[in-house]
Amino acid sequence: MIGHGQILILIIVVVLVFGASRFPKIMKNLAEGVKVFKKEMKGDKKPAAKKKAVKKSPVRNTKKSK
């Protein structure tokens, strides 16, 4: 089993490699991946919540042509 000291060393290495600003994103993505993995192992067949697609409005030319 992994102890507290080993987790601390791992976190320090990750921060040194990726930087402190990217660390929260990495941990969030890791946690989401673990959740999805656990759901799949249980056999839950509910689809993951999908993000709504954002419709992009067509780009309008704001410059006046001469």
Side-chain angles (χ1 to χ4, degrees):
M1 202 70 192
I2 298 176
H4 294 293
Q6 293 169 335
I7 292 174
L8 183 63
I9 291 172
L10 183 63
I11 290 172
I12 291 171
V13 170
V14 169
V15 169
L16 289 174
V17 171
F18 294 108
S21 63
R22 292 184 62 191
F23 184 69
K25 288 182 183 179
I26 293 170
M27 290 297 111
K28 180 181 174 185
N29 290 336
L30 181 65
E32 288 175 0
V34 170
K35 286 180 187 178
V36 170
F37 179 76
K38 285 183 178 181
K39 283 183 182 179
E40 291 296 321
M41 292 302 292
K42 282 184 179 179
D44 290 346
K45 297 298 179 187
K46 293 181 182 178
K50 294 181 181 179
K51 294 182 181 179
K52 292 183 180 179
V54 177
K55 283 189 173 181
K56 292 184 179 181
S57 61
V59 179
R60 296 180 184 168
N61 190 359
T62 57
K63 295 180 182 179
K64 293 182 180 179
S65 59
K66 292 185 179 181

